[in-house]
Amino acid sequence: MNKLNEKIKLKINNKVIEVEKGITVLEAAKYAQIKIPTLCKHEDLHPTGACGICVVKVEGMKKLVRACTTPAENGMSITTHDAELHEVRKNVIELILSRHPNECLTCLRNGSCELQKFAEEFGIREKFFKPMVLEKPKDLSTRAIVVDSKKCIGCGRCVEVCQNIQQVWALEFINRGFEMRIAPAGDILLADSPCIKCGQCSAHCPVGALIEYEETDKVWGALRNNDLYPVAQIAPAVRVAFGESFDLPPGTITTKKIYALLKSIGFKAVFDTNFGADLTIMEEGTEFYERYNNNPEKLPLITSCCPSWVDYLEKYYPDLIENFSTAKSPHQMVGVLSKTYFAEKNKIDPAKIFMVSIMPCTAKKYEISRTDEMFASGYQDVDVSITTRELVRIANSGGIDFVNLPEEECDEILGKYTGAGTIFGVTGGVMEAAIRTAYYLFTKEKLKEIELNEIRGLKGIKTGVIKLNGKEIKVAVAHGVGNIKEVLDQVREAKIKKQKQPYDFIEVMACYGGCIAGGGQPYQVSNKLRTQRTEGIYKDDRQQPIRYSFENPMIKKLYEEYLEKPLSVKSHKLLHTKYKARPIYYK
Amino acid sequence: MGKLNLEQLKQIREIVKNSNKNEILVSLGTCGIAAGGDKIYEILKQEIKDRDLENVIIVKKTGCLGLCFCEPNLVINTPGLPETVYGYVTEDIAYKIITEHIMKKNIIDENVIFIPSNDLISFKEEK
Amino acid sequence: MNLKYLYVWESDKKKNLYNTLVKKITSKNLDDKVKVLSTKYIGITGKKSIIKIMPENITYTNFNETEDIDKIIDSHFINNKVLDEFIYITDNKFAKVKEKDKYYKQLRIVLRNSGYIDPENINDYLARDGYKALEKALFKMTPTDVIEEIKKSGLRGRGGAGFPTGKKWEITKNVQSDIKYVVCNADEGDPGAYMDRSVLEGDPYSVIEGMTICAYAVGAQYGYIYVRAEYPLAIKRLQMAIDKANEMGLLGNNILNTKFSFNIEIRLGAGAFVCGEETALIASIEGKRGMPRPRPPFPAISGLWGKPTVINNVETWANIPVIIIKGSQWFSSIGTETSKGTKVFALTGKIKYPGLIEVPMGTTIREIVFDIGGGILNNKKIKAVQTGGPSGGVIPEEYLDLPIDYESLQKIGSMMGSGGMIVMDEDDCMIDVAKFYLQFTVDESCGKCAPCRIGGKQLLEILKAISSGKAEEDDITRLKRISFAMKNASLCGLGQSAPNPVISTLKYFEHEYIEHIRDKKCKTGKCKDLITYTINQEKCIGCGACALRCPAGAISGEKRKPHNIDQLKCIKCGECYLTCKFNAINKL
């Protein structure tokens, strides 16, 4: 413990500062108000030292060292900026640019690209080195994430995320030297690899080499087609991050402005995925109640609203498929209901309804046609799923002054939500919402302390015990696929050895931090940002008049008028899905 | 042989140091082999066997002497002659080594080379 | 029986000295006392003629080959008196130990057993003081004592970086850890370097003994020898040596019946030069892609699987047993102030006597080339000496009197590296040399960091353009800027030193670059694209032989009339030049 508090003194650009021992030179420089330029370093990830731009001079050392990996030592004297260092950095940027295509104007990262920023900062005005651009077509195979290798600068962030944090190992460095590229092992298509389409790679990529599969054109096409009835729904995580792209502080709740935005660009109805979240809780909570009392051998019940997570389990743990909740994810539920319940009630031809879901997630693009059950309405339940980033682009090209939009309401029929619905966006939220309802199902009483702190927060695996009716429900919450393994291995072992399961109910989110840090959210994710967005979600929960899913009046109405009750035949047909084992590598 | 203790180690050294040192050491590093040294090795072995000289002299493989320009080369220790190093050894010279050097005690003209360094281990200070 | 042998070496092809001596010995009736033999290599070079008398081991040189012969024969063989005026003794001033040779500038410490022992027979090694060092260390010294000795000896890493070995061991010893590793870097990847291979093939036990002593000193339990797979004989002999040592209790559990246990395993490389870099080597042993990682932390503190690891080169290990037996003071009397001991070099290129040499640090390059290597082949003019392999630079003639040690070579833009030394003459093109090395490093770059991955390829493309006449004026600036970036911003030693051949050839031979770029000429003729073949209209008799030979159909002309070469079709293969019997083809 002493080591953490130990202070050291060092000089940076002749300024003496005192910092904690154990931090890097890069971090120490911040205390001297100096920003050492970095390209491959990302706040979320361990530094790899790949780009060479953060080099600094340390007195007494012959060679330049990388600020991102060198630990700060007592008595160091460091120069971060001088003519020589500038020359080194500029030449490295120019070298990177020589292997990068000149496509800024037509690139999706135009304006948000980190390399572009450097070219500007270093005043690059000509390409002095011979261009040596890789000729390779884009890999669009997953229809969720696009791999555009010719733009890759080899920073290795995506490999770090995919291998060490997600531990999916879909991306790897192949070939060596100048021919080095990032691709799945064996240079196969991404869709044939273990990729679970979580999009964390695209969220960390500094340039346009890994990017979401853009579908804004489809949305505009629907909006401008007079024959269609375009409807939209937004995910919980979108509302606290969308504002960041308009310079609002992270965590600002912009729900009603987004409704207004969607309405003004032409959506005829605006729903809210949180309604679907409440509905999911009704179905899944009841499912848990049923299983606990009647089929305890099928416990633990594992949540299934995260499509990357579903893909992961189908590939790596197919033996645990029977533990999945059969409930669909919230946006799929809203999707199917929009083309059945909503269409019937409002006498709209469901064939004309065009459902767009706006998600913090790239995997949803894959989910919407994953199985036949995603067509339960008779049509594709969700026609297009776009990411938060794509909605930002739509807003920007739709001529909207977002920040000054007056707030509006959504269409409550599939849009009214409780606090339990909105917390779906954060890790632990689905579990908390489920417990709030399950408690009522078991005890017929409302849970008093509804903010379950032991399953909140950024710890990779969180566990808790809920006491009700003399029973103890053991729950576990895991986020970031790399953390899920540990929990699943315990479940698998207990199953094989026919021992008592360590948990009864498990929530899993593939993205570390939960959906608020999803693969489709605005760039620059970090733990600070995760915390800020999470705070926004919990604030949204607290300011809701109703915080229990079963008290949602529109949900009650839905069951009364249409679905009868949770897990009814109609509910099963529309709101539940099936799973099957899939190969980790195709062919 | 079994695991040694200190005493046994010392004994082995004594035995080997005092043993008969009549041998031909053929340089058979990869360079020597590439230059044809293994052929030379085989010829020498066969000749010594054919002529019943196995009790007089044995042929051994060694590593590289560092004298790559004159590979294949070898070191020969035989009674009656000082230690001699031959370089540029062809098959012809190999036979001559048996007939001339070993049997007639004639050092072969032109092929002797000198290792350009003292032997660190068997160095004996001059008086 | 007391026959004396008079060996004659002379540069004269007609063997006049030999014949004179034979005649004189016969005429003086010394035939039954003295045998005259000629030799192709007497160990000393740089002289016109040398005679060596064995078994007394006396060498004479600098004598007049007609006038002084009688004097020498009479004095030495008849009067039994050594003739001091012609005695040849070399000054080996950087080897202040008694084992230094009177005549030769080499001092074989690392190569002490190579060529003398059967590497597959442990008894041979034991007889030549093998394992005496381990005995001494285990039974008469503490681990701290061992480290002190190595520190005092001044031994520095022989892999190229030259880090003080004793200091490295001390750092590892002082880290608290239940597991520590000792690794031998035998991934010798420099083209033209084969010192490590010779040690592994000729004396594998010396490396094993060195590692065992280190394990005892730092507290390690496991060792790895990382050998490149392209050395099958070395791998075979190493494995046999490990197995034999295990069998005899000199390796493995409870070595020599003490509590000390140390186990070694071999790990093979897979054809990647970059895995000779220590952090990439560690990644490779761990089963990962061989890519370097940033240092600090250094492997001595956190290396293989995060544990403290001592990594040293084969040559460094081979020195350890000698230092322990003969003592640090003995070792530190060899070499210069900053660089102690000897270094093995692979002397190759346009040299008369290529091979492995081992010289005390401080020996000059001129001595190596002319006094040991025999001078330039075919008596051509020396142009430069390249040291350090693809990480090193060229040393032009004006620096030949530089003493070889870690610092002095770096000062002029080269480095000692692992010991490659390539001699170049007037027929070698410096751009061709730089291009050759860049081709190698570009091929071997791992690709992790942008400066090396992209910068190396850019340098190579520019050099290719220069050597094919397609370069621009700005290209020299480009070379300098890219080299500057690579040197300063690359992640590992491969990238940091890859531009050295370019930087040093540019520094000392800029005129050659300018000739190639501006004049599109390569004076040595090595850059084939810059050669222009034309037919001398006066000399050509129109026989048509060249036209028949030309694979591009570029030569035309009427029978018996001077022919012409169409430059646009000419592919510069040089066949016409080789074919013409009338010297009518000009090669410019």
Side-chain angles (χ1 to χ4, degrees):
Chain A
M1 266 300 123
N2 279 335
K3 216 176 172 196
L4 284 173
N5 295 330
E6 196 184 322
K7 294 268 194 243
I8 54 171
K9 270 210 185 90
L10 57 146
K11 229 198 292 181
I12 299 192
N13 293 347
N14 283 325
K15 197 168 171 184
V16 179
I17 52 167
E18 199 181 12
V19 298
E20 253 176 37
K21 185 171 172 150
I23 63 173
T24 61
V25 169
L26 181 66
E27 290 159 2
K30 292 195 189 134
Y31 288 93
Q33 287 77 49
I34 293 170
K35 240 184 73 166
I36 298 174
T38 62
L39 182 51
C40 66
K41 172 86 178 71
H42 192 281
E43 267 198 70
D44 252 4
L45 309 169
H46 285 305
T48 55
C51 69
I53 291 181
C54 67
V55 284
V56 293
K57 286 185 182 166
V58 176
E59 203 178 286
M61 291 184 87
K62 277 185 291 180
K63 297 186 184 168
L64 303 185
V65 296
R66 281 158 160 70
C68 62
T69 55
T70 309
E73 308 268 357
N74 199 32
M76 260 183 170
S77 177
I78 300 164
T79 309
T80 66
H81 286 79
D82 71 8
E84 244 189 8
L85 288 168
H86 178 85
E87 195 53 36
V88 173
R89 291 175 188 148
K90 182 155 179 266
N91 279 320
V92 174
I93 296 281
E94 284 190 59
L95 281 173
I96 296 175
L97 285 177
S98 75
R99 185 119 169 98
H100 196 84
N102 247 344
E103 278 179 22
C104 288
L105 293 181
T106 48
C107 175
L108 274 179
R109 291 301 293 264
N110 189 5
S112 67
C113 169
E114 295 182 41
L115 183 64
Q116 211 179 29
K117 198 163 57 90
F118 269 110
E120 170 64 33
E121 265 179 42
F122 281 87
I124 312 283
R125 292 293 168 252
E126 59 162 349
K127 279 201 161 180
F128 190 48
F129 301 133
K130 180 172 147 189
M132 294 179 168
V133 181
L134 175 66
E135 287 304 318
K136 195 169 195 327
K138 299 182 193 178
D139 175 355
L140 301 152
S141 57
T142 55
R143 319 281 286 218
I145 297 162
V146 177
V147 186
D148 196 358
S149 295
K150 63 178 185 292
K151 295 181 185 162
C152 176
I153 61 167
C155 68
R157 286 183 193 174
C158 55
V159 176
E160 244 326 271
V161 163
C162 195
Q163 287 186 3
N164 294 335
I165 297 188
Q166 297 298 71
Q167 295 192 27
V168 172
W169 292 77
L171 293 172
E172 172 59 276
F173 292 107
I174 59 169
N175 302 335
R176 70 178 183 196
F178 190 66
E179 308 301 324
M180 194 274 286
R181 268 190 294 122
I182 293 176
D187 205 12
I188 57 179
L189 290 175
L190 197 58
D192 293 335
S193 77
C195 177
I196 57 174
K197 286 121 340 233
C198 65
Q200 285 301 313
C201 53
S202 69
H204 289 81
C205 182
V207 296
L210 283 159
I211 207 147
E212 61 273 13
Y213 183 69
E214 244 244 319
E215 294 181 285
T216 51
D217 279 350
K218 293 188 186 135
V219 176
W220 282 120
L223 289 171
R224 289 168 184 148
N225 185 339
N226 291 328
D227 281 337
L228 294 179
Y229 194 91
V231 299
Q233 52 168 312
I234 58 165
V238 176
R239 70 204 61 209
V240 291
F242 188 75
E244 288 165 31
S245 303
F246 297 91
D247 294 327
L248 294 174
T252 313
I253 303 167
T254 51
T255 317
K256 302 212 172 150
K257 281 206 204 299
I258 301 178
Y259 293 155
L261 160 68
L262 292 169
K263 288 210 157 129
S264 70
I265 55 173
F267 281 101
K268 295 215 164 68
V270 175
F271 303 129
D272 200 313
T273 312
N274 289 350
F275 172 88
D278 280 328
L279 192 55
T280 305
I281 292 300
M282 296 309 297
E283 295 292 322
E284 203 163 323
T286 313
E287 205 183 350
F288 179 68
Y289 179 75
E290 292 292 315
R291 272 198 211 182
Y292 194 89
N293 289 323
N294 304 330
N295 304 66
E297 73 281 1
K298 280 204 172 161
L299 292 179
L301 178 66
I302 311 183
T303 61
S304 58
C305 42
C306 170
S308 289
W309 155 234
V310 167
D311 197 31
Y312 184 79
L313 189 135
E314 285 183 331
K315 286 176 173 159
Y316 285 95
Y317 289 88
D319 47 318
L320 300 183
I321 281 180
E322 61 172 9
N323 294 86
F324 253 151
S325 158
T326 53
K328 286 184 183 173
S329 66
H331 85 130
Q332 288 291 152
M333 290 194 179
V334 172
V336 71
L337 287 175
S338 74
K339 298 195 182 186
T340 50
Y341 177 59
F342 172 75
E344 283 170 30
K345 253 193 123 136
N346 291 292
K347 305 224 189 335
I348 304 168
D349 178 3
K352 293 199 164 36
I353 296 183
F354 192 88
M355 162 58 84
V356 176
S357 73
I358 297 133
M359 297 286 127
C361 177
T362 47
K364 297 284 179 191
K365 291 177 188 277
Y366 150 77
E367 187 188 31
I368 58 181
S369 56
R370 197 180 72 87
T371 60
D372 288 339
E373 287 76 29
M374 304 305 165
F375 296 76
S377 63
Y379 310 92
Q380 185 166 326
D381 297 343
V382 177
D383 292 284
V384 175
S385 177
I386 58 171
T387 58
T388 316
R389 300 197 285 262
E390 283 164 281
L391 184 63
V392 170
R393 278 180 232 127
I394 287 180
N396 284 332
S397 62
I400 313 288
D401 176 9
F402 178 73
V403 177
N404 293 319
L405 272 180
E407 300 187 341
E408 285 190 37
E409 295 295 329
C410 66
D411 292 73
E412 286 202 340
I413 175 172
L414 295 179
K416 185 160 181 70
Y417 64 91
T418 71
T422 201
I423 57 176
F424 259 58
V426 299
T427 168
V430 177
M431 180 61 71
E432 225 181 280
I435 299 295
R436 289 182 195 179
T437 294
Y439 192 86
Y440 177 73
L441 291 174
F442 277 88
T443 64
K444 297 288 178 272
E445 283 170 23
K446 276 163 56 158
L447 177 65
K448 295 266 173 28
E449 287 105 32
I450 62 173
E451 292 186 8
L452 303 174
N453 285 319
E454 65 262 44
I455 55 173
R456 291 188 172 192
L458 287 178
K459 192 153 154 256
I461 304 173
K462 299 164 278 186
T463 56
V465 177
I466 317 292
K467 292 195 187 20
L468 46 70
N469 272 1
K471 299 186 243 284
E472 284 190 352
I473 313 277
K474 297 186 295 294
V475 303
V477 171
H479 56 127
V481 181
N483 291 320
I484 295 167
K485 278 186 186 183
E486 208 185 298
V487 175
L488 290 183
D489 285 340
Q490 288 176 13
V491 172
R492 181 184 257 167
E493 208 188 309
K495 234 184 194 190
I496 295 174
K497 292 189 181 163
K498 298 224 190 330
Q499 287 166 352
K500 188 157 160 48
Q501 283 291 343
Y503 306 106
D504 300 306
F505 200 172
I506 302 177
E507 174 209 289
V508 179
M509 291 191 183
C511 296
Y512 182 65
C515 307
I516 42 100
Q521 290 283 64
Y523 292 114
Q524 297 315 322
V525 66
S526 66
N527 280 352
K528 182 166 169 214
L529 211 55
R530 286 183 176 95
T531 312
Q532 286 170 317
R533 291 176 186 166
T534 305
E535 275 310 307
I537 292 280
Y538 286 138
K539 185 167 165 208
D540 198 30
D541 172 31
R542 269 179 238 121
Q543 69 189 22
Q544 293 306 317
I546 307 172
R547 298 175 76 185
Y548 301 85
S549 303
F550 55 87
E551 289 191 333
N552 186 333
M554 299 314 288
I555 296 271
K556 285 194 204 168
K557 197 165 176 209
L558 172 65
Y559 278 114
E560 270 165 41
E561 289 181 6
Y562 198 69
L563 294 174
E564 193 199 334
K565 59 175 178 157
L567 304 183
S568 69
V569 174
K570 203 160 191 181
S571 297
H572 259 113
K573 174 163 173 274
L574 295 178
L575 305 178
H576 287 254
T577 180
K578 298 196 179 74
Y579 308 99
K580 65 172 187 195
R582 290 177 204 265
I584 299 175
Y585 279 94
Y586 282 89
K587 296 190 274 149
Chain B
M1 186 127 226
K3 297 209 179 195
L4 304 175
N5 60 28
L6 255 178
E7 262 314 302
Q8 290 166 317
L9 185 60
K10 290 194 169 129
Q11 275 172 10
I12 293 182
R13 282 209 193 94
E14 283 310 307
I15 294 172
V16 187
K17 271 196 182 140
N18 297 329
S19 66
N20 184 2
K21 279 262 173 308
N22 298 317
E23 51 199 9
I24 306 180
L25 306 169
V26 187
S27 293
L28 287 181
T30 306
C31 39
I33 296 173
D38 48 349
K39 235 352 198 351
I40 306 293
Y41 176 77
E42 292 304 320
I43 291 176
L44 289 167
K45 260 183 104 172
Q46 194 59 41
E47 280 299 302
I48 284 174
K49 187 162 175 231
D50 291 345
R51 291 163 195 269
D52 262 328
L53 290 167
E54 273 156 333
N55 291 326
V56 177
I57 190 156
I58 57 171
V59 192
K60 277 175 147 179
K61 290 185 208 183
T62 67
C64 173
L65 272 172
L67 300 168
C68 311
F69 58 89
C70 61
E71 296 263 19
N73 50 37
L74 48 87
V75 180
I76 173 164
N77 264 310
T78 183
L81 281 179
E83 183 176 277
T84 312
V85 184
Y86 285 113
Y88 306 99
V89 177
T90 58
E91 288 183 27
D92 211 36
I93 302 287
Y95 285 112
K96 275 208 186 127
I97 286 175
I98 307 290
T99 55
E100 294 292 315
H101 188 113
I102 296 179
M103 296 177 68
K104 294 195 197 145
K105 312 270 184 273
N106 281 338
I107 297 189
I108 301 168
D109 197 7
E110 287 201 34
N111 282 81
V112 173
I113 58 165
F114 291 86
I115 298 178
S117 166
N118 262 334
D119 182 346
L120 190 74
I121 305 297
S122 60
F123 175 78
K124 290 212 174 10
E125 215 162 347
E126 273 175 40
K127 291 179 195 125
Chain C
M1 252 282 99
N2 289 332
L3 199 56
K4 291 194 194 266
Y5 295 94
L6 174 56
Y7 292 97
V8 185
W9 182 90
E10 57 192 311
S11 46
D12 174 15
K13 290 225 159 79
K14 298 205 187 80
K15 295 175 77 174
N16 279 322
L17 178 60
Y18 172 75
N19 293 328
T20 311
L21 280 163
V22 169
K23 272 202 227 105
K24 296 255 181 208
I25 292 289
T26 309
S27 70
K28 290 177 200 265
N29 285 322
L30 290 166
D31 277 323
D32 52 346
K33 283 222 185 81
V34 182
K35 183 90 171 39
V36 181
L37 298 160
S38 78
T39 172
K40 293 198 177 87
Y41 180 73
I42 206 161
I44 301 156
T45 65
K47 301 279 176 202
K48 187 157 168 287
S49 56
I50 301 161
I51 57 178
K52 196 192 233 312
I53 300 157
M54 302 292 273
E56 53 257 50
N57 196 14
I58 299 286
T59 306
Y60 292 117
T61 190
N62 293 333
F63 46 79
N64 185 301
E65 288 171 20
T66 39
E67 290 163 22
D68 291 326
I69 301 301
D70 285 303
K71 211 201 278 182
I72 295 174
I73 298 180
D74 292 341
S75 172
H76 193 105
F77 295 112
I78 300 178
N79 302 326
N80 289 320
K81 206 159 157 270
V82 165
L83 256 181
D84 283 330
E85 67 181 292
F86 300 122
I87 278 254
Y88 169 81
I89 303 249
T90 187
D91 96 70
N92 215 337
K93 63 177 191 273
F94 285 104
K96 300 190 191 69
V97 290
K98 63 183 190 312
E99 290 87 344
K100 80 174 179 191
D101 201 294
K102 280 190 295 190
Y103 305 128
Y104 306 123
K105 295 204 158 138
Q106 297 192 43
L107 176 58
R108 295 192 162 191
I109 300 179
V110 171
L111 298 175
R112 61 190 176 277
N113 290 327
S114 230
Y116 293 118
I117 62 168
D118 179 357
E120 299 176 12
N121 183 346
I122 195 172
N123 289 338
D124 277 8
Y125 181 69
L126 292 174
R128 286 176 66 89
D129 292 348
Y131 280 99
K132 265 202 179 150
L134 183 63
E135 256 184 68
K136 184 173 174 190
L138 279 183
F139 296 102
K140 299 209 178 75
M141 299 169 83
T142 64
T144 316
D145 290 337
V146 173
I147 293 185
E148 275 310 305
E149 267 300 271
I150 303 298
K151 273 171 75 178
K152 275 195 277 190
S153 74
L155 176 67
R156 291 167 68 171
R158 294 286 191 256
F163 190 83
T165 310
K167 194 166 166 201
K168 186 187 278 192
W169 291 19
E170 195 177 48
I171 293 174
T172 302
K173 177 177 194 305
N174 288 339
V175 181
Q176 292 277 55
S177 175
D178 49 343
I179 297 184
K180 293 185 191 175
Y181 295 102
V182 171
V183 172
C184 171
N185 185 345
D187 191 50
E188 186 173 52
D190 283 7
Y194 53 100
M195 303 74 62
D196 293 349
R197 170 172 70 69
S198 296
V199 173
L200 293 173
E201 289 175 354
D203 192 10
Y205 288 104
S206 64
V207 174
I208 296 171
E209 192 183 350
M211 289 174 74
T212 315
I213 293 171
C214 175
Y216 171 71
V218 306
Q221 306 77 19
Y222 305 101
Y224 288 97
I225 302 184
Y226 187 87
V227 198
R228 60 182 304 192
E230 293 90 328
Y231 282 172
L233 185 60
I235 296 167
K236 176 173 151 218
R237 289 185 177 172
L238 259 176
Q239 190 59 60
M240 287 176 79
I242 291 174
D243 292 340
K244 197 72 190 174
N246 267 313
E247 223 181 275
M248 311 258 279
L250 293 165
L251 189 65
N253 294 332
N254 302 108
I255 294 177
L256 284 174
N257 284 338
T258 62
K259 285 212 196 97
F260 168 57
S261 300
F262 179 58
N263 282 287
I264 296 183
E265 269 181 40
I266 295 182
R267 283 283 188 273
L268 300 188
F273 173 67
V274 71
C275 285
E277 197 276 336
E278 59 181 11
T279 55
L281 194 153
I282 287 175
S284 177
I285 296 182
E286 290 176 350
K288 299 186 190 139
R289 187 180 149 99
M291 293 197 303
R293 57 167 173 75
R295 298 176 295 171
F298 290 93
I301 299 178
S302 167
L304 200 49
W305 292 295
K307 305 288 181 191
T309 309
V310 173
I311 304 184
N312 274 128
N313 175 271
V314 168
E315 213 182 308
T316 318
W317 292 123
N319 273 303
I320 301 294
V322 175
I323 295 175
I324 297 294
I325 299 180
K326 294 216 186 271
S328 57
Q329 194 172 41
W330 179 90
F331 190 80
S332 57
S333 337
I334 304 168
T336 67
E337 259 313 300
T338 59
S339 311
K340 301 291 181 195
T342 58
K343 179 82 188 78
V344 182
F345 289 99
L347 188 60
T348 54
K350 306 277 178 69
I351 192 113
K352 281 220 181 83
Y353 300 111
L356 288 184
I357 63 168
E358 189 174 351
V359 290
M361 301 273 199
T363 310
T364 67
I365 302 175
R366 192 182 299 279
E367 283 176 281
I368 291 179
V369 172
F370 294 104
D371 296 341
I372 298 177
I376 308 291
L377 256 182
N378 300 325
N379 291 319
K380 295 233 175 183
K381 195 169 168 340
I382 189 171
K383 191 170 190 179
V385 172
Q386 207 276 351
T387 61
S391 320
V394 292
I395 299 166
E397 213 205 322
E398 58 253 43
Y399 290 106
L400 285 187
D401 292 303
L402 220 54
I404 297 204
D405 70 16
Y406 290 100
E407 278 70 35
S408 62
L409 290 185
Q410 271 178 6
K411 267 203 213 107
I412 56 154
S414 182
M415 65 193 273
M416 203 158 50
S418 62
M421 191 178 278
I422 304 183
V423 179
M424 295 169 185
D425 68 8
E426 53 195 276
D427 289 336
D428 286 302
C429 171
M430 291 293 116
I431 282 92
D432 190 57
V433 167
K435 191 173 74 160
F436 168 78
Y437 281 121
L438 252 307
Q439 263 161 348
F440 180 76
T441 38
V442 165
D443 205 31
E444 296 292 336
S445 160
C446 74
K448 177 172 176 179
C449 74
C452 171
R453 177 179 80 234
I454 307 175
K457 183 77 170 180
Q458 287 278 3
L459 285 179
L460 178 60
E461 291 300 308
I462 296 174
L463 288 170
K464 278 189 188 163
I466 293 178
S467 70
S468 59
K470 298 200 179 86
E472 303 166 10
E473 281 294 329
D474 277 338
D475 278 342
I476 293 194
T477 314
R478 286 192 182 99
L479 286 176
K480 288 186 177 160
R481 279 176 62 182
I482 297 172
S483 303
F484 180 65
M486 278 180 79
K487 215 171 158 57
N488 283 301
S490 293
L491 181 58
C492 80
L494 192 160
Q496 287 158 9
S497 59
N500 283 347
V502 176
I503 297 174
S504 74
T505 48
L506 256 181
K507 185 168 170 192
Y508 300 116
F509 297 96
E510 188 156 358
H511 56 277
E512 270 192 55
Y513 277 87
I514 295 179
E515 267 166 34
H516 280 70
I517 297 176
R518 189 188 58 201
D519 309 333
K520 311 241 190 282
K521 276 219 182 313
C522 174
K523 287 218 173 105
T524 66
K526 268 271 166 71
C527 299
K528 294 228 170 334
D529 288 338
L530 297 183
I531 303 174
T532 312
Y533 291 101
T534 52
I535 296 183
N536 185 326
Q537 298 294 294
E538 264 107 64
K539 287 192 181 161
C540 175
I541 60 152
C543 71
C546 56
L548 267 169
R549 247 349 238 163
C550 176
I555 306 182
S556 58
E558 291 170 40
K559 245 198 214 165
R560 286 192 238 286
K561 289 230 174 89
H563 281 39
N564 278 301
I565 298 177
D566 182 349
Q567 292 304 324
L568 291 172
K569 288 194 181 154
C570 174
I571 60 164
K572 331 256 187 189
C573 67
E575 281 297 317
C576 54
Y577 183 74
L578 293 169
T579 309
C580 181
K581 290 196 173 64
F582 302 95
N583 264 331
I585 307 263
N586 293 332
K587 181 179 172 179
L588 295 164

